[in-house]
Structures are given as structure tokens and as C-alpha cells.
Amino acid sequence: MGSRASTLLREEEIEEIKKETGFSHSQITRLYSRFTSLDKGENGTLSREDFQRIPELAINPLGDRIINAFFPEGEDQVNFRGFMRTLAHFRPIEDNEKNKNYSGDFIAFRLYDLDRDDKISRDELLQVLRMMVGVNISDEQLGSIADRTIQEADTNGDNSISFNEFIKVLEKVDVEQKMSIRFLH
Amino acid sequence: MFLSLCPFDNLVCILLGISFTVWFTLLLVFIIVPAIFGVSFGIRRLYMKTLLKIFEWATLRIERGAKEKNHPLYKPYSNAIIAREPTSLEQEIKEIRRSGSNRDFDSASEFEMSDIFYFARRGVESIMDDEVTKRFSAEELESWNLLTRSNYNFHYISLRLTVLWGLGLLIRYGFLLPLRVTLAFTGVGLLVFLTSVIGLLPNGRMKNFLSEKVHLMCYRICVRALTAIITYHDSENKPKNGGICVANHTSPIDVIILASDGCYAMVGQIHGGLMGVIQRSMVKACPHIWFERSEVKDRHLVAKRLSDHVEDKSKLPILIFPEGTCINNTSVMMFKKGSFEIGATVYPVAIKYDPRFGDAFWNSSKFGMVNYLLRMMSSWAIVCSVWYLPPMSREEGEDAVQFANRVKAAIARQGGLVDLLWDGGLKRGKVKDTFKEEQQKLYSKMLVGTQEDRSRS
């Protein structure tokens, strides 16, 4: 498992990934070791089954959606670069990089917007809600929750939530709270 | 030409004969005879101390070499990637909502779009590091023990280190491995032969006494065949007749380690081949519990045979590994409740291996049994500690699952292992949907619970 870790990842690659994603050297080697341990087929890429083998992810109600976020449109395999690029969205932003459009927001938007048309429709919202609550809430209740949410967020009256409207709703949520994944060094 | 070869031939024959005799005498005196009587010369412990000093030197050398070449070292232990806090779903979602909400009072609204962050964060955290999948592959070491199989930094560092490694290779494969294989064959052969002989005796005290001695002797030879250096703690708590001994499972070697210090009745499935031969001859000398493959699924049958055995106080304590599969000795996973339902006294045992000398974990998806045994016999040694914990019984109002968890916690605490609720069966199978449904239920309560409050106010 680990014996291939440092040998297969060349220094130049590590530098490129460092520039692209902002992870540190040791974080990249550690994540590479994690990547290879998940890669049961040992072919340098991960498939959806490789992710689903993680029990804690399999029991996450939004597990499938999260896995989808790693795979580009229409593809079934993700290589290490793609893996790191997606993870980079969850890295906490350093003070000098802070900008209004926190990339974590974009990933969250993607989790709702399944057909990637840059709009969260009522149906898409219902789908996500259904995934999160399972069978415990009736269709009517869920429908009214969805309606209320869209009402509060929709400012241009098209009965769906665009990315900008989404960001406005989340504006006040503390960045640290959103994706407060505590990375060590 | 023919004549000139003869004297040379003779010389070779004589040399071979002498070395063989010397070899065999050494073997007998230093290894087999002590095994029979259960004494030890202390050679293995001296060996262990020497090895430790060499490993420390090797690690320092690698660190120094890496610094000289400006190579960042890969250190698995100090490189946890994220810190995870065990907080509840409700607590965390409330935190996220509170930070984004204008409202002052603490009542949660029914649904916020930011709730999704909780699930997304948990999901990504588990992708980067989860508690379960890493238990099914060998533990990573902090210092190098001169085995390529456990090395992550092996670039050519120095001549001395490579020479040492080469020497180690020679010793392990050229000297230790053949020695150990011989011992293993001797041990197993003696076990099969002697137990079959004892099986011919009529049942009675003599038979039990002899059977005990024979089992102990053969297991001790096997222990030496692996160069296992075992430290037993708290032997006053050793399992007694009519009890069930439970231990955490790391490899098939666990059986040899425990059985060389006490006599147990084994439980298991009948195999074919060599294993089957050993099993069948063992059961001639004293009653073990072997199941046919078809019987294993029948839980009632299994429970009945176990309870029958336990009620007969003349029979040996049963040895069971409730995890059901091999885990890599950094954690203890869910105990199957079957053995805890029987109502007998449970004697927990914790086994902790020291991975510096050779990792004992059997990754059955990666290595077959023979491959595994060869790896074991070509490591430096198997070093482990065994703790006999005080006996436990099921308390009033406690069901089998709670009892199993209590025993598991005690074993994990003693062995310094992580206590996990996850099922070891996850090594091969998928996780049950009930866990996901629990999460969904918790979240629904948050949404719906507040609706009830609203309708009331």
C-alpha cells in the first residue's frame, strides 16, 4: 500500500499540484497515499465504487452527490489531479486569498443543481431534501418546505434559485463554519 | 578424471554429514528440548534487543541522508491530514445556522440551504481519512526495520545502510527461513502424529493429561518456528474450564500464541487439505468444536453446541474471535453477539503485536495463507504482548450486544487499541442501509420537530 507513495509521485508533479491547489508538500504526499489506498484496481484512477467502499461516506445521505462532484461531466474515472482539484475547494482560505465567491459555495451549489443548468429548480431542491430526510417526512410537508425556501431566496421571480441568489442567502454564514475542515499543517 | 573427482566427493559428503549433525543437535538442544519442557534460554530476547538497536541506527541514518539531500521525508505517523471532532449532527447544523442567521433566539428554523454544508463537509472528511478502511491494511511504521516491504523512503541513502539491508536479507532468507520451516514441519508433524496416537487411548484422566502436554509442546515448537517473543501479563486470570475466552483477531497466529500458554477447545469450520488433517487429528485427543460448512449458517445449532460444551465442566475453555475477521491490530471492531448470548463466563484477552519486528496482520485479500506464512517466517520476529483480563459475566438488564460492547471496550483499553463500532465484515461487504436511515431520521427530527413547535405557538 504505502510503499509506492513517494516513489510514484515525482517532485515536479508535486510542485505543479502545489501551485494549482495551494496544498502543502506534506499534505499532497499524504493525500496521494490516501488516493492509492482507495484505488483497489491499482490503475491510477478512482471509480465511483472505490468511493462507495468508504463506509462513512456510504451512510452519508448525500454521499452519491458528493461522489459525483469529483467526476467531470460524463466521466467515470478520476485521476489524482482531478481528485486534488476537487478537494482544493474545501481547503480553508488564507486571509490574503479571501474573496466573495468562496469556492466551497460553488461545490454546495453543484450538490443541489443536478442537471448543471446553473439554476436550482423546485424539483432539484425537493430531490436533495428527500435524500436528506429519507422516508420520515411526507411529500406535502417537504413540498411546503421547498416552496418556502425558494420564496425566501428567489429575488428575480423565476421560481428557481440562481448561483448569485444562492450566494446571497449564504452570505452571512461564517466561512469557517461552512467548510471548517481542520487541516493539519 | 573420474579418479580425481572421488576424494573430492568424499570430502564433500563428510562435510555435509558433519554440518547436518551439528545443525540437528543445535536445533534439538536449543529449541526442541526447551519447547518440550516449557523453559527458555533467553536467546530470543537478546536477539530482539540487538535488532532494536540496529533499527534505531538505520532510521537515524535515513533521516540524516534525507536532510543532506534535501528530500522531505514521508512520516506516516505525524502526518494525519485532518483533525476530526466527534460532534452530533444536531449540534453542528445548529452552529452553521446560528452563524448565518439574523435571529437572536436559539430556535432552529425548519430548513436552511446552508444545512447542506454539514453533509458535504462530513462526506469530504471521510474521503480524506476514515476510521474503517485503514484498519484492513497493514499499519505504517515510523522507523524502518530493514524490510523492503515496510519502507516508504528507500532510495539509495548510503552504502552502509544498503549493506546492512543486504546482510539482513541474507540472514533472513538464508538462515532463519529454512530453520523456521524445519521447525514448523516438525511441530505440525508431531502434533498430528501424537494426537492420533493419544486418540487410541480410552477416555479418562490419563488421556486428558497427555493430550494437554502434547498440545502445549507442539504449539511451543510452532512458536519457536515463528520466533515469536511473547510476554504474558496477569496469568492469574487465565481462562478456566466452562468459560469462553474471547480475543481480538489479527491473524491465524493468534491461535498459536494463546494455545502455547494454556489449553483451549478450538471452534471453527472444517477445512480441506492440510488444515483438515490437523483438525481431524486434534479432535481425537480432546474435544474441539468443528463445524461443517453448511452448519455454520445455522445459528441455533452453533449456539447449542457451544452451550453444551460449556456446561460440561470437564471440557476445556472455548477460544473464540468474535470479530469474525482479521483486523490490523490498531483497533477492535464490532463483536458478533453469538458467543455472548450463551451465558457462560467470558474471559477477555487482549493481544497487541509490536509491528517493528514484522507485521503479523493477515490481509487475506492480498495474500493467501501460504504466502502469508512465508512472509511471517521471513520477518525478523513476531513480538507481542498478551493480557489476560479479569473474567466478566452478563449483568442484570444487559443484553448480549451491550455485554459484547463492554467486553470489547475492556480489551481495547488494555491493548491500547481504538474501540470502533463498525463491523469487521465491512472488509468485504457493503455497509447496511440502516445507518444511513438513522442519519436521515436525525435530520428529519430537526426539521419536523420545529414544525410542531410552530403549530403550538
Side-chain angles (χ1 to χ4, degrees), chain B residues 139-379:
Chain B
E139 196 184 351
E140 297 182 358
L141 289 178
E142 198 159 331
S143 66
W144 188 34
N145 59 357
L146 294 178
L147 299 171
T148 346
R149 61 185 81 150
S150 55
N151 189 313
Y152 318 103
N153 281 311
F154 185 60
H155 313 283
Y156 176 83
I157 297 280
S158 82
L159 183 62
R160 250 187 288 177
L161 202 60
T162 320
V163 163
L164 201 66
W165 171 76
L167 204 67
L169 202 72
L170 209 68
I171 296 181
R172 280 185 297 120
Y173 283 92
F175 172 63
L176 289 177
L177 186 61
L179 173 67
R180 289 175 181 161
V181 170
T182 326
L183 281 174
F185 275 120
T186 319
V188 170
L190 276 178
L191 183 68
V192 171
F193 176 64
L194 288 174
T195 45
S196 309
V197 163
I198 292 181
L200 298 170
L201 291 175
N203 286 347
R205 286 193 51 201
M206 192 48 161
K207 184 177 185 186
N208 288 343
F209 176 70
L210 278 178
S211 149
E212 235 175 83
K213 290 289 169 245
V214 160
H215 272 112
L216 279 177
M217 176 182 96
C218 296
Y219 281 119
R220 284 196 200 117
I221 297 182
C222 289
V223 160
R224 281 158 172 78
L226 294 165
T227 317
I229 305 169
I230 312 169
T231 318
Y232 296 99
H233 302 268
D234 305 327
S235 294
E236 67 267 12
N237 291 326
K238 254 199 249 187
K240 301 192 179 41
N241 283 7
I244 300 185
C245 174
V246 302
N248 56 318
H249 201 29
T250 306
S251 97
I253 295 181
D254 292 341
V255 172
I256 300 179
I257 289 182
L258 287 179
S260 61
D261 192 45
C263 288
Y264 300 93
M266 315 271 169
V267 179
Q269 204 185 304
I270 284 249
H271 289 96
L274 181 62
M275 242 358 267
V277 170
I278 301 177
Q279 285 176 323
R280 269 180 274 267
S281 59
M282 275 169 70
V283 82
K284 286 188 197 137
C286 77
H288 296 284
I289 306 178
W290 304 125
F291 290 103
E292 302 289 332
R293 191 171 211 135
S294 50
E295 293 175 330
V296 171
K297 299 268 181 351
D298 185 347
R299 289 191 51 211
H300 276 305
L301 180 66
V302 171
K304 178 134 196 347
R305 280 184 71 177
L306 289 178
S307 6
D308 286 345
H309 185 108
V310 153
E311 268 157 25
D312 185 349
K313 295 296 176 204
S314 69
K315 295 201 177 146
L316 300 166
I318 304 180
L319 179 59
I320 287 191
F321 297 101
E323 280 165 313
T325 187
C326 293
I327 312 291
N328 78 346
N329 208 234
T330 56
S331 68
V332 184
M333 293 190 131
M334 187 181 94
F335 275 5
K336 299 202 192 314
K337 62 181 178 178
S339 20
F340 298 91
E341 288 175 320
I342 298 177
T345 324
V346 168
Y347 294 88
V349 174
I351 307 178
K352 179 78 178 115
Y353 288 87
D354 187 341
R356 287 177 296 179
F357 295 92
D359 197 306
F361 168 59
W362 182 30
N363 191 343
S364 46
S365 45
K366 238 183 167 184
F367 308 112
M369 174 68 98
V370 177
N371 203 334
Y372 168 70
L373 285 175
L374 281 177
R375 282 169 72 93
M376 281 303 101
M377 293 201 213
S378 62
S379 320

Side-chain angles (χ1 to χ4, degrees), chain A residues 89-102:
Chain A
H89 290 301
F90 299 94
R91 209 175 49 83
I93 293 186
E94 310 296 309
D95 266 336
N96 51 7
E97 298 173 36
K98 202 170 260 176
N99 54 351
K100 272 283 170 178
N101 274 1
Y102 175 50

Side-chain angles (χ1 to χ4, degrees), chain A residues 1-3 6 25-27 30-31 33-34 51 53-62 66 70 83 87 90 105 108 111-112 129 131-134 136-137 141 145 148-149 161 170 172-174 177-185, chain B residues 72 74 76 78-85 95-96 99-100 102 110-111 113-114 116-117 119-133 137 140 151-152 366 422 426 431 435-436 439-441 443-444 447-448 451 454:
Chain A
M1 182 204 91
S3 59
S6 326
H25 195 288
S26 58
Q27 285 170 340
R30 193 78 187 100
L31 285 170
S33 168
R34 174 72 172 160
F51 282 100
R53 232 178 264 117
I54 305 173
E56 289 168 36
L57 188 61
I59 67 169
N60 190 319
L62 294 179
I66 297 170
F70 281 86
F83 183 68
L87 285 182
F90 299 94
D105 287 347
L111 290 175
Y112 283 109
L129 277 170
M131 284 174 92
M132 290 200 275
V133 306
N136 298 295
I137 298 187
Q141 266 184 317
I145 291 178
R148 216 182 308 240
T149 314
I161 305 178
L170 297 177
K172 303 217 186 60
V173 177
D174 185 20
Q177 279 300 326
K178 283 185 205 174
M179 288 299 174
S180 53
I181 296 187
R182 298 222 337 260
F183 278 92
L184 301 174
H185 51 85
Chain B
Y74 175 66
S78 44
N79 259 26
I81 185 77
I82 50 178
R84 303 172 73 174
E85 260 136 64
E95 287 267 335
I96 298 178
S99 73
N102 284 327
E110 44 175 25
F111 169 69
M113 297 210 80
S114 56
I116 206 173
F117 280 121
F119 292 107
R121 171 155 48 94
R122 280 266 176 256
V124 174
E125 275 179 356
S126 65
I127 290 179
M128 285 198 270
D129 188 17
D130 78 297
E131 280 301 319
V132 182
T133 51
S137 54
E140 297 182 358
N151 189 313
Y152 318 103
K366 238 183 167 184
W422 296 96
L426 290 171
V431 65
F435 293 105
K436 190 193 272 197
Q439 295 248 314
Q440 290 170 328
K441 222 187 268 185
Y443 183 61
S444 315
L447 300 192
V448 167
Q451 281 225 324
R454 277 187 174 210

